[in-house]
Amino acid sequence: RASHRMKGNERVVVTLTSYPPRINTVWQSIRSIFAQTYLPDKIVLYLAKSDFPNREADLPASLTDLLWLDFEIRWVDRDLKPHKKWYWAFQDFKDDLVVTIDDDLTYRHSMIEELVAAHHQHPQAIIASRTHLIMFNEDGSIKPYAQWIYEAPHAYPALAGVESMRLFATTGAGTLFVPSLFPDLVFDTGLIERHCLVADDIWLKVIETIAGVPVVAATPDQLLEYVPDTQHVALFRVNIDQGGNDAVMKGLFAEMEDRGLIHEPFAKLVCDDSLDQIVGAGE
């Protein structure tokens, strides 16, 4: 970490959240960050006070034993579900690089190094370890989320390193954010709680798009490694399997248009026909 600072690089802070069903396994995600080739300056776990009324006394030793390292727990009054991993971090570390991760994954050793290297090439973009490609109908409307190309750079490696509004970052797989690129609208808890309390990826993508911030896939290596026995309570079962993300986007766009927060259709804002050439060439 000292060598990172000597080179003049920004501080890197890894942030995540968890809740009772996963609190006994979250240490595995954190341990994989301590094994990175590029160590962060800090790891912060944001927990809701309502989930753990006795604070540290409610936490397992597997987690509290890590607190002597460059790892801390911050307690928050408002349970914003998965948004807890970025919402306070964007304010607490507004001048740093924030890398968000999830509590049900372990991370390859090179993950942060890849993100930081891509950030230096694309300092005004979101840098993601895992990205989907937004797909469109013939009339220009966006296809349902389940019909996007998941982990697109894995199938089409030429998509890696390309800035595009059409790429969609999944924040839990390891995503690097520059908080100062986001407008204050990102902290609108009313919109979050009304429309996308369990869909933080959708919320952040919409705000990125409004702000004109593109996404870059840091690597073609897009595949996930889950912590065993964590997926029976996974949010994707609602957000994807049950069409939740599409309902979220419909309701969110409707209110944002009514309030004048979006001045053009979202489909137009994320359209990027140049990526069709990359995908077509890879067929």
Side-chain angles (χ1 to χ4, degrees):
R1 284 170 291 274
S3 64
H4 301 165
R5 295 184 186 127
M6 287 171 63
K7 294 175 183 176
N9 293 343
E10 304 99 321
R11 288 202 325 160
V12 175
V13 181
V14 172
T15 66
L16 71 161
T17 188
S18 193
Y19 69 129
R22 290 194 183 149
I23 202 65
N24 289 311
T25 55
V26 67
W27 67 271
Q28 296 180 58
S29 301
I30 295 167
R31 283 282 189 186
S32 72
I33 300 303
F34 284 127
Q36 294 287 305
T37 55
Y38 188 117
L39 290 172
D41 294 270
K42 185 186 290 291
I43 303 171
V44 181
L45 173 64
Y46 289 91
L47 297 178
K49 295 176 182 177
S50 57
D51 279 338
F52 306 96
N54 300 307
R55 310 286 181 87
E56 280 81 359
D58 287 338
L59 304 180
S62 60
L63 182 60
T64 56
D65 284 350
L66 300 178
L67 288 170
W68 64 274
L69 299 169
D70 293 328
F71 164 64
E72 66 178 86
I73 294 169
R74 297 195 179 188
W75 298 95
V76 298
D77 292 315
R78 197 167 191 168
D79 186 3
L80 292 178
K81 305 300 183 185
H83 297 268
K84 295 194 300 293
K85 70 173 175 278
W86 68 266
Y87 186 89
W88 286 276
F90 279 18
Q91 300 168 73
D92 294 345
F93 306 105
K94 60 184 179 181
D95 298 319
D96 301 317
L97 302 179
V98 172
V99 174
T100 58
I101 64 170
D102 271 351
D103 62 349
D104 60 347
L105 296 172
T106 57
Y107 298 88
R108 62 181 178 277
H109 299 329
S110 60
M111 186 264 289
I112 295 178
E113 186 173 358
E114 293 164 355
L115 293 175
V116 172
H119 164 69
H120 290 156
Q121 295 294 317
H122 307 276
Q124 301 297 307
I126 307 302
I127 311 297
S129 297
R130 180 172 180 258
T131 53
H132 302 332
L133 183 63
I134 298 172
M135 300 301 290
F136 299 87
N137 296 305
E138 289 186 4
D139 64 2
S141 60
I142 295 176
K143 286 188 175 183
Y145 188 97
Q147 295 178 30
W148 297 0
I149 300 179
Y150 295 171
E151 301 163 342
H154 182 71
Y156 308 101
L159 289 173
V162 175
E163 291 189 15
S164 180
M165 302 302 297
R166 188 173 164 188
L167 291 171
F168 179 92
T170 66
T171 62
T175 301
L176 183 151
F177 294 96
V178 180
S180 60
L181 296 179
F182 285 79
D184 288 343
L185 179 62
V186 75
F187 302 116
D188 189 327
T189 52
L191 280 169
I192 290 171
E193 291 180 325
R194 280 193 295 278
H195 298 290
C196 47
L197 188 57
V198 295
D200 55 321
D201 291 354
I202 295 289
W203 172 253
L204 288 172
K205 178 57 180 177
V206 170
I207 304 302
E208 292 159 20
T209 301
I210 291 173
V213 181
V215 169
V216 172
T219 172
D221 186 357
Q222 302 269 305
L223 303 184
L224 303 178
E225 185 171 342
Y226 288 103
V227 173
D229 302 320
T230 59
Q231 294 312 290
H232 59 288
V233 291
L235 284 176
F236 76 83
R237 299 190 184 282
V238 173
N239 291 349
I240 298 175
D241 295 351
Q242 300 176 30
N245 280 337
D246 300 312
V248 163
M249 287 187 279
K250 181 178 179 181
L252 180 60
F253 295 153
E255 179 172 347
M256 295 184 96
E257 288 170 3
D258 287 346
R259 291 173 53 182
L261 299 174
I262 293 182
H263 302 290
E264 293 185 88
F266 185 74
K268 184 176 180 180
L269 294 174
V270 298
C271 183
D272 184 351
D273 294 338
S274 68
L275 299 193
D276 290 329
Q277 300 173 8
I278 296 175
V279 174
E283 295 290 351

